[in-house]
Amino acid sequence: MKKNNFIVRSIKVSEIDEAANLLSKAYYEDIFFKWCVPSDEHRHKIVTDYYKIYLKSKGCVSHVAENSLGTIVGVTVWLPHDAEESIYEEIEKVAGENAPQFASVAEKSHANEPTETPFYQLVGFGVLKEVQGTGVGQSLLKHFLDILDYNGIPTYLEASTPFHGGGVYGKFGYEPFGDLMVFTDTAVLYPLYRRNKNL
């Protein structure tokens, strides 16, 4: 799929480190990840290792946007509803002293997620600042959502910024779902659900 001099395609195993690094950079200033890993010094490495676990897990589906120079400029990471429980043990190890925050997120996420199965959860979505607003993010989401629509599968995500019905998630029909996941006054996740368009 070509648009604005980039293509969207499945990730290669050899690109996992690069993709995890991009996602960590994208989330470095994110309020929610600042709560998860308060240390500016350690946040980048921990979040990078966190995404490596997801990207290497069984059933993970990830796509990258690659520009005309062969550089990855955007990434999405999707997990199936029945992702392996062992990934949370691995996350606890890489999180170190921040493990309680990550465990709290996993617990609330499992309690809030849809009971309708199967579904895929978007757990990572990042685009380099220099290409934001050029259609990269929208194309990345559309790539897999089209496949899920064809197969009759809904999707779920937990956004770290308030949702008012607009933005890229609103364009694709995501709607508020369940309860807000409140950890502190500033660390809040906004659950969103997208029913399959073919249902």
Side-chain angles (χ1 to χ4, degrees), residues 11 15 32 59-60 80 84 90 93 98 116 121 141 162 168 170:
I11 193 172
E15 296 168 333
F32 180 74
C60 173
E84 296 176 316
E90 295 179 55
K93 292 176 184 176
N98 306 286
E116 179 182 357
Q121 181 172 348
L141 287 179
V168 69

Side-chain angles (χ1 to χ4, degrees), residues 9-192:
R9 58 169 175 77
S10 296
I11 193 172
K12 300 173 184 174
V13 173
S14 60
E15 296 168 333
I16 285 178
D17 287 358
E18 183 180 357
N21 184 60
L22 185 153
L23 288 163
S24 185
K25 286 181 178 178
Y27 288 123
Y28 185 77
E29 295 295 337
D30 183 86
I31 291 174
F32 180 74
F33 273 100
K34 281 188 170 185
W35 170 74
C36 287
V37 187
S39 168
D40 289 344
E41 180 182 356
H42 299 121
R43 187 177 313 116
H44 181 70
K45 183 179 187 318
I46 289 173
V47 176
T48 298
D49 290 344
Y50 166 78
Y51 274 110
K52 285 180 186 178
I53 291 169
Y54 279 158
L55 287 161
K56 293 176 182 178
S57 67
K58 182 179 179 181
C60 173
V61 175
S62 179
H63 298 100
V64 297
E66 177 186 78
N67 67 15
S68 58
L69 300 176
T71 302
I72 292 175
V73 295
V75 183
T76 51
V77 182
W78 306 81
L79 288 184
H81 71 280
D82 55 355
E84 296 176 316
E85 290 294 322
S86 61
I87 64 176
Y88 302 106
E89 297 174 8
E90 295 179 55
I91 288 171
E92 183 177 357
K93 292 176 184 176
V94 302
E97 63 183 17
N98 306 286
Q101 290 95 295
F102 284 90
S104 179
V105 173
E107 182 180 351
K108 287 195 176 187
S109 181
H110 289 318
N112 194 70
E113 66 188 20
T115 55
E116 179 182 357
T117 56
F119 69 87
Y120 270 87
Q121 181 172 348
L122 179 65
V123 296
F125 177 34
V127 176
L128 293 182
K129 287 183 179 180
E130 53 265 36
V131 299
Q132 289 178 3
T134 65
V136 171
Q138 190 167 327
S139 294
L140 271 167
L141 287 179
K142 185 178 186 304
H143 186 79
F144 194 48
L145 289 176
D146 283 350
I147 295 171
L148 293 174
D149 281 346
Y150 180 81
N151 289 284
I153 301 174
T155 67
Y156 170 75
L157 63 89
E158 292 152 0
S160 59
T161 54
F163 178 77
H164 303 292
V168 69
Y169 296 134
K171 288 179 181 177
F172 284 104
Y174 280 96
E175 297 179 347
F177 179 85
D179 300 320
L180 292 183
M181 298 165 58
V182 180
F183 302 94
T184 70
D185 289 344
T186 56
V188 179
L189 289 178
Y190 302 82
L192 303 175

